[in-house]
Amino acid sequence: MLTKHEAFLVRELVRERIVTLKDCIKLLHGKDPMALDIRTIKHYQEELKRYEGIYNKLLGEAKQDD
């Protein structure tokens, strides 16, 4: 079981990864349509979805602990 401080750090790392993935997706969408790599964008979107699910689960656990 994680301490409150450790759980906070894990949530922050996951949140930072979510922000990074969103920035990457936005950057890739802004590229020239001929240079778009659809597989990369889809991969980032799937990864983003997984991280958002993890983050929401961690937030739910944090609220239950309070």
Short mmCIF file of all heavy atoms in Angstrom, two decimals:
data_model
loop_
_atom_site.label_atom_id
_atom_site.label_comp_id
_atom_site.label_asym_id
_atom_site.label_seq_id
_atom_site.Cartn_x
_atom_site.Cartn_y
_atom_site.Cartn_z
N MET A 1 0.85 -1.18 0.00
CA MET A 1 0.00 0.00 0.00
C MET A 1 0.89 1.24 0.00
O MET A 1 1.89 1.29 0.69
CB MET A 1 -0.89 -0.04 1.24
CG MET A 1 -1.95 0.97 1.26
SD MET A 1 -3.21 0.45 0.09
CE MET A 1 -4.38 1.71 0.33
N LEU A 2 0.51 2.22 -0.77
CA LEU A 2 1.28 3.45 -0.87
C LEU A 2 0.88 4.44 0.21
O LEU A 2 -0.28 4.49 0.62
CB LEU A 2 1.05 4.11 -2.23
CG LEU A 2 1.47 3.34 -3.47
CD1 LEU A 2 1.04 4.10 -4.71
CD2 LEU A 2 2.96 3.11 -3.49
N THR A 3 1.85 5.23 0.63
CA THR A 3 1.52 6.32 1.55
C THR A 3 0.83 7.41 0.75
O THR A 3 0.83 7.38 -0.48
CB THR A 3 2.80 6.89 2.20
OG1 THR A 3 3.59 7.52 1.17
CG2 THR A 3 3.60 5.82 2.92
N LYS A 4 0.25 8.38 1.44
CA LYS A 4 -0.45 9.47 0.74
C LYS A 4 0.52 10.23 -0.16
O LYS A 4 0.17 10.61 -1.27
CB LYS A 4 -1.10 10.41 1.74
CG LYS A 4 -2.35 9.87 2.35
CD LYS A 4 -3.03 10.92 3.19
CE LYS A 4 -4.31 10.35 3.77
NZ LYS A 4 -5.09 11.37 4.45
N HIS A 5 1.72 10.44 0.32
CA HIS A 5 2.72 11.17 -0.46
C HIS A 5 3.11 10.38 -1.72
O HIS A 5 3.20 10.95 -2.81
CB HIS A 5 3.96 11.46 0.39
CG HIS A 5 5.02 12.22 -0.33
ND1 HIS A 5 4.86 13.52 -0.73
CD2 HIS A 5 6.24 11.85 -0.76
CE1 HIS A 5 5.95 13.93 -1.37
NE2 HIS A 5 6.80 12.93 -1.40
N GLU A 6 3.33 9.09 -1.56
CA GLU A 6 3.68 8.25 -2.71
C GLU A 6 2.54 8.20 -3.73
O GLU A 6 2.76 8.29 -4.94
CB GLU A 6 4.02 6.83 -2.25
CG GLU A 6 5.31 6.75 -1.47
CD GLU A 6 5.50 5.40 -0.79
OE1 GLU A 6 4.50 4.71 -0.51
OE2 GLU A 6 6.66 5.05 -0.53
N ALA A 7 1.32 8.10 -3.24
CA ALA A 7 0.16 8.07 -4.13
C ALA A 7 0.04 9.39 -4.88
O ALA A 7 -0.27 9.41 -6.08
CB ALA A 7 -1.11 7.80 -3.34
N PHE A 8 0.32 10.50 -4.20
CA PHE A 8 0.29 11.81 -4.85
C PHE A 8 1.33 11.88 -5.96
O PHE A 8 1.05 12.36 -7.06
CB PHE A 8 0.55 12.92 -3.81
CG PHE A 8 0.72 14.27 -4.43
CD1 PHE A 8 -0.38 14.99 -4.87
CD2 PHE A 8 1.98 14.83 -4.56
CE1 PHE A 8 -0.22 16.24 -5.45
CE2 PHE A 8 2.15 16.07 -5.14
CZ PHE A 8 1.04 16.78 -5.59
N LEU A 9 2.53 11.37 -5.70
CA LEU A 9 3.58 11.39 -6.71
C LEU A 9 3.22 10.55 -7.93
O LEU A 9 3.46 10.94 -9.07
CB LEU A 9 4.90 10.91 -6.10
CG LEU A 9 5.55 11.83 -5.07
CD1 LEU A 9 6.78 11.16 -4.47
CD2 LEU A 9 5.91 13.16 -5.68
N VAL A 10 2.62 9.40 -7.69
CA VAL A 10 2.19 8.54 -8.80
C VAL A 10 1.12 9.25 -9.63
O VAL A 10 1.19 9.26 -10.86
CB VAL A 10 1.67 7.18 -8.28
CG1 VAL A 10 1.01 6.38 -9.39
CG2 VAL A 10 2.80 6.39 -7.65
N ARG A 11 0.15 9.87 -8.95
CA ARG A 11 -0.90 10.60 -9.68
C ARG A 11 -0.29 11.73 -10.51
O ARG A 11 -0.69 11.95 -11.65
CB ARG A 11 -1.93 11.18 -8.72
CG ARG A 11 -2.92 10.17 -8.20
CD ARG A 11 -4.10 10.82 -7.51
NE ARG A 11 -3.73 11.78 -6.48
CZ ARG A 11 -3.49 11.48 -5.21
NH1 ARG A 11 -3.56 10.23 -4.80
NH2 ARG A 11 -3.18 12.42 -4.35
N GLU A 12 0.66 12.44 -9.97
CA GLU A 12 1.30 13.54 -10.69
C GLU A 12 2.07 13.03 -11.91
O GLU A 12 2.05 13.65 -12.97
CB GLU A 12 2.22 14.34 -9.77
CG GLU A 12 1.47 15.24 -8.83
CD GLU A 12 0.58 16.23 -9.56
OE1 GLU A 12 1.09 17.00 -10.40
OE2 GLU A 12 -0.64 16.23 -9.31
N LEU A 13 2.76 11.91 -11.77
CA LEU A 13 3.47 11.34 -12.91
C LEU A 13 2.51 10.93 -14.02
O LEU A 13 2.77 11.19 -15.20
CB LEU A 13 4.31 10.14 -12.47
CG LEU A 13 5.56 10.46 -11.67
CD1 LEU A 13 6.18 9.17 -11.13
CD2 LEU A 13 6.56 11.20 -12.54
N VAL A 14 1.40 10.32 -13.65
CA VAL A 14 0.41 9.92 -14.64
C VAL A 14 -0.20 11.16 -15.29
O VAL A 14 -0.38 11.21 -16.50
CB VAL A 14 -0.68 9.03 -14.00
CG1 VAL A 14 -1.83 8.77 -14.95
CG2 VAL A 14 -0.07 7.71 -13.54
N ARG A 15 -0.50 12.19 -14.49
CA ARG A 15 -1.06 13.43 -15.03
C ARG A 15 -0.10 14.09 -16.02
O ARG A 15 -0.49 14.54 -17.09
CB ARG A 15 -1.39 14.41 -13.90
CG ARG A 15 -2.15 15.65 -14.37
CD ARG A 15 -2.27 16.68 -13.27
NE ARG A 15 -0.98 17.14 -12.80
CZ ARG A 15 -0.18 17.98 -13.46
NH1 ARG A 15 -0.52 18.44 -14.63
NH2 ARG A 15 0.97 18.36 -12.94
N GLU A 16 1.19 14.10 -15.69
CA GLU A 16 2.19 14.66 -16.59
C GLU A 16 2.26 13.87 -17.89
O GLU A 16 2.42 14.45 -18.97
CB GLU A 16 3.56 14.68 -15.91
CG GLU A 16 3.68 15.72 -14.83
CD GLU A 16 5.02 15.67 -14.12
OE1 GLU A 16 5.97 15.06 -14.65
OE2 GLU A 16 5.11 16.23 -13.02
N ARG A 17 2.13 12.56 -17.81
CA ARG A 17 2.15 11.74 -19.02
C ARG A 17 0.94 12.05 -19.90
O ARG A 17 1.05 12.10 -21.12
CB ARG A 17 2.18 10.25 -18.64
CG ARG A 17 2.24 9.32 -19.80
CD ARG A 17 3.54 9.45 -20.56
NE ARG A 17 3.55 8.49 -21.65
CZ ARG A 17 4.25 8.61 -22.74
NH1 ARG A 17 5.07 9.61 -22.88
NH2 ARG A 17 4.19 7.70 -23.67
N ILE A 18 -0.21 12.27 -19.27
CA ILE A 18 -1.42 12.63 -20.00
C ILE A 18 -1.21 13.94 -20.75
O ILE A 18 -1.54 14.06 -21.93
CB ILE A 18 -2.64 12.71 -19.06
CG1 ILE A 18 -3.02 11.31 -18.59
CG2 ILE A 18 -3.82 13.41 -19.72
CD1 ILE A 18 -4.04 11.29 -17.48
N VAL A 19 -0.66 14.93 -20.08
CA VAL A 19 -0.40 16.23 -20.71
C VAL A 19 0.57 16.07 -21.88
O VAL A 19 0.36 16.63 -22.96
CB VAL A 19 0.14 17.24 -19.67
CG1 VAL A 19 0.64 18.51 -20.34
CG2 VAL A 19 -0.93 17.56 -18.65
N THR A 20 1.61 15.28 -21.69
CA THR A 20 2.59 15.05 -22.75
C THR A 20 1.95 14.38 -23.96
O THR A 20 2.19 14.78 -25.11
CB THR A 20 3.76 14.17 -22.23
OG1 THR A 20 4.36 14.83 -21.12
CG2 THR A 20 4.78 13.93 -23.31
N LEU A 21 1.12 13.36 -23.72
CA LEU A 21 0.45 12.68 -24.82
C LEU A 21 -0.50 13.61 -25.57
O LEU A 21 -0.56 13.59 -26.79
CB LEU A 21 -0.31 11.45 -24.31
CG LEU A 21 0.56 10.26 -23.94
CD1 LEU A 21 -0.26 9.23 -23.18
CD2 LEU A 21 1.17 9.64 -25.18
N LYS A 22 -1.24 14.44 -24.82
CA LYS A 22 -2.14 15.40 -25.47
C LYS A 22 -1.36 16.37 -26.35
O LYS A 22 -1.79 16.70 -27.46
CB LYS A 22 -2.96 16.16 -24.43
CG LYS A 22 -4.07 15.34 -23.82
CD LYS A 22 -4.86 16.14 -22.83
CE LYS A 22 -6.00 15.33 -22.24
NZ LYS A 22 -6.78 16.09 -21.26
N ASP A 23 -0.21 16.83 -25.85
CA ASP A 23 0.64 17.73 -26.63
C ASP A 23 1.16 17.04 -27.90
O ASP A 23 1.18 17.65 -28.97
CB ASP A 23 1.81 18.25 -25.81
CG ASP A 23 1.39 19.23 -24.72
OD1 ASP A 23 0.25 19.75 -24.80
OD2 ASP A 23 2.19 19.48 -23.81
N CYS A 24 1.56 15.80 -27.77
CA CYS A 24 2.06 15.04 -28.94
C CYS A 24 0.96 14.87 -29.99
O CYS A 24 1.21 15.04 -31.19
CB CYS A 24 2.58 13.67 -28.52
SG CYS A 24 4.14 13.72 -27.65
N ILE A 25 -0.23 14.54 -29.54
CA ILE A 25 -1.35 14.35 -30.46
C ILE A 25 -1.67 15.67 -31.16
O ILE A 25 -1.87 15.71 -32.38
CB ILE A 25 -2.58 13.79 -29.73
CG1 ILE A 25 -2.30 12.35 -29.28
CG2 ILE A 25 -3.83 13.85 -30.60
CD1 ILE A 25 -3.33 11.78 -28.33
N LYS A 26 -1.69 16.76 -30.40
CA LYS A 26 -1.98 18.06 -30.98
C LYS A 26 -0.90 18.44 -32.01
O LYS A 26 -1.21 18.93 -33.09
CB LYS A 26 -2.02 19.12 -29.87
CG LYS A 26 -2.51 20.48 -30.35
CD LYS A 26 -2.42 21.55 -29.27
CE LYS A 26 -3.14 21.15 -28.01
NZ LYS A 26 -3.12 22.21 -26.98
N LEU A 27 0.35 18.17 -31.69
CA LEU A 27 1.45 18.47 -32.60
C LEU A 27 1.34 17.65 -33.88
O LEU A 27 1.52 18.17 -34.98
CB LEU A 27 2.79 18.19 -31.92
CG LEU A 27 4.04 18.39 -32.75
CD1 LEU A 27 4.24 19.89 -33.03
CD2 LEU A 27 5.25 17.83 -32.04
N LEU A 28 1.03 16.37 -33.73
CA LEU A 28 0.91 15.51 -34.91
C LEU A 28 -0.28 15.90 -35.79
O LEU A 28 -0.20 15.82 -37.01
CB LEU A 28 0.78 14.04 -34.49
CG LEU A 28 2.06 13.40 -33.97
CD1 LEU A 28 1.76 12.02 -33.42
CD2 LEU A 28 3.11 13.34 -35.05
N HIS A 29 -1.37 16.34 -35.17
CA HIS A 29 -2.52 16.78 -35.95
C HIS A 29 -2.23 18.08 -36.70
O HIS A 29 -2.85 18.35 -37.73
CB HIS A 29 -3.76 16.96 -35.07
CG HIS A 29 -4.51 15.70 -34.83
ND1 HIS A 29 -5.15 15.00 -35.82
CD2 HIS A 29 -4.71 14.99 -33.69
CE1 HIS A 29 -5.73 13.94 -35.31
NE2 HIS A 29 -5.47 13.89 -34.03
N GLY A 30 -1.29 18.87 -36.19
CA GLY A 30 -0.95 20.14 -36.83
C GLY A 30 0.02 20.00 -37.99
O GLY A 30 0.31 20.97 -38.68
N LYS A 31 0.53 18.80 -38.20
CA LYS A 31 1.50 18.58 -39.29
C LYS A 31 0.82 18.59 -40.65
O LYS A 31 -0.41 18.49 -40.76
CB LYS A 31 2.19 17.22 -39.12
CG LYS A 31 3.30 17.22 -38.12
CD LYS A 31 3.99 15.88 -38.18
CE LYS A 31 5.29 15.90 -37.41
NZ LYS A 31 6.00 14.65 -37.56
N ASP A 32 1.63 18.67 -41.65
CA ASP A 32 1.16 18.58 -43.03
C ASP A 32 0.42 17.25 -43.21
O ASP A 32 0.94 16.20 -42.82
CB ASP A 32 2.37 18.65 -43.96
CG ASP A 32 2.01 18.51 -45.42
OD1 ASP A 32 0.85 18.81 -45.78
OD2 ASP A 32 2.88 18.11 -46.20
N PRO A 33 -0.78 17.28 -43.79
CA PRO A 33 -1.56 16.03 -43.94
C PRO A 33 -0.80 14.91 -44.65
O PRO A 33 -1.02 13.74 -44.38
CB PRO A 33 -2.77 16.46 -44.77
CG PRO A 33 -2.89 17.92 -44.53
CD PRO A 33 -1.50 18.43 -44.28
N MET A 34 0.11 15.26 -45.52
CA MET A 34 0.87 14.24 -46.23
C MET A 34 1.90 13.56 -45.32
O MET A 34 2.35 12.46 -45.58
CB MET A 34 1.59 14.84 -47.44
CG MET A 34 0.63 15.44 -48.46
SD MET A 34 -0.54 14.24 -49.09
CE MET A 34 0.50 13.34 -50.21
N ALA A 35 2.28 14.25 -44.23
CA ALA A 35 3.30 13.71 -43.34
C ALA A 35 2.71 13.01 -42.12
O ALA A 35 3.45 12.50 -41.28
CB ALA A 35 4.22 14.84 -42.88
N LEU A 36 1.39 13.00 -42.02
CA LEU A 36 0.75 12.38 -40.85
C LEU A 36 1.00 10.88 -40.81
O LEU A 36 0.91 10.20 -41.82
CB LEU A 36 -0.75 12.62 -40.87
CG LEU A 36 -1.23 14.01 -40.48
CD1 LEU A 36 -2.75 14.07 -40.59
CD2 LEU A 36 -0.81 14.36 -39.08
N ASP A 37 1.31 10.41 -39.64
CA ASP A 37 1.45 8.98 -39.41
C ASP A 37 0.25 8.55 -38.57
O ASP A 37 0.25 8.71 -37.35
CB ASP A 37 2.76 8.67 -38.71
CG ASP A 37 2.99 7.18 -38.54
OD1 ASP A 37 2.11 6.39 -38.92
OD2 ASP A 37 4.06 6.81 -38.02
N ILE A 38 -0.76 8.05 -39.24
CA ILE A 38 -2.01 7.70 -38.57
C ILE A 38 -1.81 6.65 -37.49
O ILE A 38 -2.41 6.73 -36.42
CB ILE A 38 -3.05 7.22 -39.61
CG1 ILE A 38 -3.32 8.30 -40.65
CG2 ILE A 38 -4.33 6.78 -38.93
CD1 ILE A 38 -3.85 9.60 -40.08
N ARG A 39 -0.92 5.69 -37.72
CA ARG A 39 -0.68 4.65 -36.71
C ARG A 39 -0.11 5.25 -35.44
O ARG A 39 -0.48 4.84 -34.34
CB ARG A 39 0.24 3.58 -37.26
CG ARG A 39 -0.45 2.67 -38.28
CD ARG A 39 0.51 1.65 -38.76
NE ARG A 39 1.53 2.36 -39.54
CZ ARG A 39 2.29 1.84 -40.46
NH1 ARG A 39 2.20 0.57 -40.72
NH2 ARG A 39 3.16 2.55 -41.13
N THR A 40 0.78 6.21 -35.57
CA THR A 40 1.38 6.85 -34.40
C THR A 40 0.32 7.62 -33.62
O THR A 40 0.25 7.54 -32.40
CB THR A 40 2.52 7.79 -34.81
OG1 THR A 40 3.50 7.04 -35.52
CG2 THR A 40 3.16 8.44 -33.60
N ILE A 41 -0.51 8.37 -34.35
CA ILE A 41 -1.57 9.13 -33.68
C ILE A 41 -2.52 8.19 -32.95
O ILE A 41 -2.87 8.43 -31.79
CB ILE A 41 -2.35 9.99 -34.71
CG1 ILE A 41 -1.44 11.10 -35.25
CG2 ILE A 41 -3.60 10.59 -34.08
CD1 ILE A 41 -2.04 11.89 -36.38
N LYS A 42 -2.92 7.11 -33.60
CA LYS A 42 -3.83 6.15 -32.95
C LYS A 42 -3.19 5.52 -31.73
O LYS A 42 -3.83 5.31 -30.70
CB LYS A 42 -4.28 5.09 -33.95
CG LYS A 42 -5.27 5.61 -34.95
CD LYS A 42 -5.81 4.51 -35.82
CE LYS A 42 -6.77 5.14 -36.81
NZ LYS A 42 -7.81 4.26 -37.23
N HIS A 43 -1.90 5.22 -31.83
CA HIS A 43 -1.18 4.65 -30.69
C HIS A 43 -1.19 5.62 -29.52
O HIS A 43 -1.47 5.23 -28.38
CB HIS A 43 0.26 4.31 -31.09
CG HIS A 43 1.12 3.90 -29.95
ND1 HIS A 43 1.01 2.67 -29.35
CD2 HIS A 43 2.08 4.58 -29.27
CE1 HIS A 43 1.88 2.60 -28.35
NE2 HIS A 43 2.53 3.75 -28.29
N TYR A 44 -0.89 6.89 -29.79
CA TYR A 44 -0.90 7.89 -28.73
C TYR A 44 -2.30 8.07 -28.14
O TYR A 44 -2.46 8.23 -26.94
CB TYR A 44 -0.39 9.24 -29.25
CG TYR A 44 1.11 9.31 -29.43
CD1 TYR A 44 1.66 10.23 -30.30
CD2 TYR A 44 1.97 8.49 -28.74
CE1 TYR A 44 3.03 10.32 -30.47
CE2 TYR A 44 3.33 8.56 -28.91
CZ TYR A 44 3.86 9.48 -29.78
OH TYR A 44 5.21 9.58 -29.94
N GLN A 45 -3.33 8.03 -28.99
CA GLN A 45 -4.69 8.18 -28.49
C GLN A 45 -5.09 7.00 -27.61
O GLN A 45 -5.74 7.19 -26.57
CB GLN A 45 -5.66 8.31 -29.67
CG GLN A 45 -5.55 9.65 -30.37
CD GLN A 45 -6.35 9.73 -31.65
OE1 GLN A 45 -6.61 8.72 -32.29
NE2 GLN A 45 -6.72 10.94 -32.03
N GLU A 46 -4.70 5.79 -27.98
CA GLU A 46 -5.00 4.62 -27.15
C GLU A 46 -4.24 4.69 -25.83
O GLU A 46 -4.80 4.38 -24.77
CB GLU A 46 -4.62 3.35 -27.90
CG GLU A 46 -5.53 3.03 -29.07
CD GLU A 46 -5.00 1.90 -29.94
OE1 GLU A 46 -3.96 1.30 -29.60
OE2 GLU A 46 -5.65 1.62 -30.97
N GLU A 47 -3.00 5.10 -25.89
CA GLU A 47 -2.20 5.24 -24.67
C GLU A 47 -2.79 6.31 -23.77
O GLU A 47 -2.87 6.15 -22.55
CB GLU A 47 -0.75 5.58 -25.04
CG GLU A 47 0.21 5.43 -23.90
CD GLU A 47 1.66 5.57 -24.33
OE1 GLU A 47 1.97 5.44 -25.53
OE2 GLU A 47 2.47 5.83 -23.44
N LEU A 48 -3.22 7.41 -24.36
CA LEU A 48 -3.85 8.49 -23.60
C LEU A 48 -5.10 7.99 -22.90
O LEU A 48 -5.32 8.28 -21.72
CB LEU A 48 -4.19 9.66 -24.54
CG LEU A 48 -4.96 10.82 -23.93
CD1 LEU A 48 -4.16 11.47 -22.81
CD2 LEU A 48 -5.32 11.83 -25.00
N LYS A 49 -5.90 7.22 -23.59
CA LYS A 49 -7.13 6.67 -23.01
C LYS A 49 -6.80 5.78 -21.80
O LYS A 49 -7.46 5.86 -20.77
CB LYS A 49 -7.87 5.87 -24.08
CG LYS A 49 -9.26 5.49 -23.73
CD LYS A 49 -9.91 4.82 -24.93
CE LYS A 49 -11.34 4.49 -24.68
NZ LYS A 49 -11.97 3.85 -25.83
N ARG A 50 -5.76 4.95 -21.93
CA ARG A 50 -5.36 4.08 -20.82
C ARG A 50 -4.89 4.92 -19.62
O ARG A 50 -5.28 4.64 -18.48
CB ARG A 50 -4.23 3.15 -21.25
CG ARG A 50 -4.67 1.94 -22.00
CD ARG A 50 -3.57 0.89 -22.09
NE ARG A 50 -2.33 1.40 -22.63
CZ ARG A 50 -2.01 1.42 -23.92
NH1 ARG A 50 -2.83 0.94 -24.81
NH2 ARG A 50 -0.85 1.89 -24.32
N TYR A 51 -4.07 5.92 -19.87
CA TYR A 51 -3.56 6.75 -18.78
C TYR A 51 -4.67 7.55 -18.11
O TYR A 51 -4.67 7.73 -16.89
CB TYR A 51 -2.46 7.69 -19.28
CG TYR A 51 -1.10 7.05 -19.26
CD1 TYR A 51 -0.56 6.47 -20.40
CD2 TYR A 51 -0.32 7.03 -18.11
CE1 TYR A 51 0.68 5.88 -20.40
CE2 TYR A 51 0.92 6.44 -18.09
CZ TYR A 51 1.43 5.87 -19.23
OH TYR A 51 2.66 5.29 -19.21
N GLU A 52 -5.64 8.03 -18.89
CA GLU A 52 -6.76 8.76 -18.30
C GLU A 52 -7.59 7.83 -17.40
O GLU A 52 -8.04 8.24 -16.33
CB GLU A 52 -7.63 9.38 -19.38
CG GLU A 52 -6.98 10.59 -20.02
CD GLU A 52 -7.77 11.18 -21.16
OE1 GLU A 52 -8.53 10.45 -21.83
OE2 GLU A 52 -7.61 12.39 -21.40
N GLY A 53 -7.77 6.58 -17.82
CA GLY A 53 -8.47 5.61 -16.98
C GLY A 53 -7.72 5.35 -15.68
O GLY A 53 -8.33 5.29 -14.60
N ILE A 54 -6.42 5.20 -15.78
CA ILE A 54 -5.59 4.98 -14.59
C ILE A 54 -5.68 6.18 -13.66
O ILE A 54 -5.86 6.03 -12.44
CB ILE A 54 -4.12 4.71 -14.99
CG1 ILE A 54 -4.00 3.37 -15.70
CG2 ILE A 54 -3.20 4.78 -13.77
CD1 ILE A 54 -2.66 3.15 -16.38
N TYR A 55 -5.59 7.37 -14.23
CA TYR A 55 -5.63 8.59 -13.42
C TYR A 55 -6.98 8.73 -12.71
O TYR A 55 -7.01 9.04 -11.51
CB TYR A 55 -5.37 9.81 -14.31
CG TYR A 55 -5.24 11.10 -13.54
CD1 TYR A 55 -4.12 11.35 -12.75
CD2 TYR A 55 -6.22 12.09 -13.61
CE1 TYR A 55 -3.99 12.53 -12.04
CE2 TYR A 55 -6.09 13.26 -12.91
CZ TYR A 55 -4.97 13.49 -12.13
OH TYR A 55 -4.85 14.66 -11.44
N ASN A 56 -8.06 8.47 -13.41
CA ASN A 56 -9.39 8.55 -12.79
C ASN A 56 -9.53 7.52 -11.67
O ASN A 56 -10.12 7.81 -10.63
CB ASN A 56 -10.49 8.37 -13.83
CG ASN A 56 -10.59 9.57 -14.74
OD1 ASN A 56 -10.29 10.69 -14.34
ND2 ASN A 56 -10.99 9.36 -15.98
N LYS A 57 -8.98 6.34 -11.88
CA LYS A 57 -9.03 5.31 -10.85
C LYS A 57 -8.23 5.75 -9.62
O LYS A 57 -8.68 5.60 -8.49
CB LYS A 57 -8.46 4.00 -11.39
CG LYS A 57 -8.55 2.85 -10.43
CD LYS A 57 -8.03 1.57 -11.04
CE LYS A 57 -8.07 0.45 -10.03
NZ LYS A 57 -7.53 -0.79 -10.55
N LEU A 58 -7.05 6.33 -9.84
CA LEU A 58 -6.23 6.81 -8.73
C LEU A 58 -6.93 7.93 -7.98
O LEU A 58 -6.87 8.00 -6.75
CB LEU A 58 -4.87 7.29 -9.24
CG LEU A 58 -3.92 6.22 -9.74
CD1 LEU A 58 -2.70 6.86 -10.41
CD2 LEU A 58 -3.47 5.32 -8.59
N LEU A 59 -7.61 8.82 -8.71
CA LEU A 59 -8.35 9.90 -8.04
C LEU A 59 -9.49 9.35 -7.21
O LEU A 59 -9.74 9.82 -6.10
CB LEU A 59 -8.89 10.89 -9.08
CG LEU A 59 -7.92 11.90 -9.64
CD1 LEU A 59 -8.60 12.80 -10.65
CD2 LEU A 59 -7.27 12.73 -8.55
N GLY A 60 -10.18 8.34 -7.74
CA GLY A 60 -11.26 7.71 -7.00
C GLY A 60 -10.77 7.07 -5.71
O GLY A 60 -11.40 7.18 -4.67
N GLU A 61 -9.61 6.41 -5.78
CA GLU A 61 -9.03 5.78 -4.59
C GLU A 61 -8.61 6.83 -3.58
O GLU A 61 -8.75 6.64 -2.38
CB GLU A 61 -7.85 4.90 -4.98
CG GLU A 61 -8.25 3.63 -5.72
CD GLU A 61 -7.05 2.83 -6.19
OE1 GLU A 61 -5.90 3.22 -5.90
OE2 GLU A 61 -7.28 1.81 -6.85
N ALA A 62 -8.09 7.96 -4.08
CA ALA A 62 -7.65 9.02 -3.17
C ALA A 62 -8.84 9.62 -2.44
O ALA A 62 -8.75 9.93 -1.25
CB ALA A 62 -6.91 10.10 -3.96
N LYS A 63 -9.98 9.77 -3.12
CA LYS A 63 -11.17 10.33 -2.48
C LYS A 63 -11.73 9.37 -1.44
O LYS A 63 -12.25 9.79 -0.41
CB LYS A 63 -12.23 10.66 -3.54
CG LYS A 63 -11.85 11.85 -4.36
CD LYS A 63 -12.90 12.15 -5.41
CE LYS A 63 -12.45 13.30 -6.28
NZ LYS A 63 -13.40 13.59 -7.34
N GLN A 64 -11.62 8.07 -1.70
CA GLN A 64 -12.11 7.08 -0.73
C GLN A 64 -11.26 7.06 0.52
O GLN A 64 -11.75 6.80 1.59
CB GLN A 64 -12.13 5.68 -1.36
CG GLN A 64 -13.21 5.50 -2.38
CD GLN A 64 -13.14 4.12 -3.04
OE1 GLN A 64 -12.21 3.36 -2.79
NE2 GLN A 64 -14.12 3.80 -3.85
N ASP A 65 -9.97 7.34 0.38
CA ASP A 65 -9.06 7.33 1.52
C ASP A 65 -9.27 8.52 2.44
O ASP A 65 -8.94 8.47 3.60
CB ASP A 65 -7.60 7.30 1.06
CG ASP A 65 -7.21 5.96 0.44
OD1 ASP A 65 -7.95 4.98 0.67
OD2 ASP A 65 -6.20 5.92 -0.28
N ASP A 66 -9.83 9.60 1.90
CA ASP A 66 -10.04 10.82 2.73
C ASP A 66 -11.20 10.69 3.62
O ASP A 66 -11.84 10.10 4.12
CB ASP A 66 -10.24 12.04 1.84
CG ASP A 66 -8.94 12.44 1.13
OD1 ASP A 66 -7.87 12.05 1.62
OD2 ASP A 66 -9.03 13.12 0.11
#
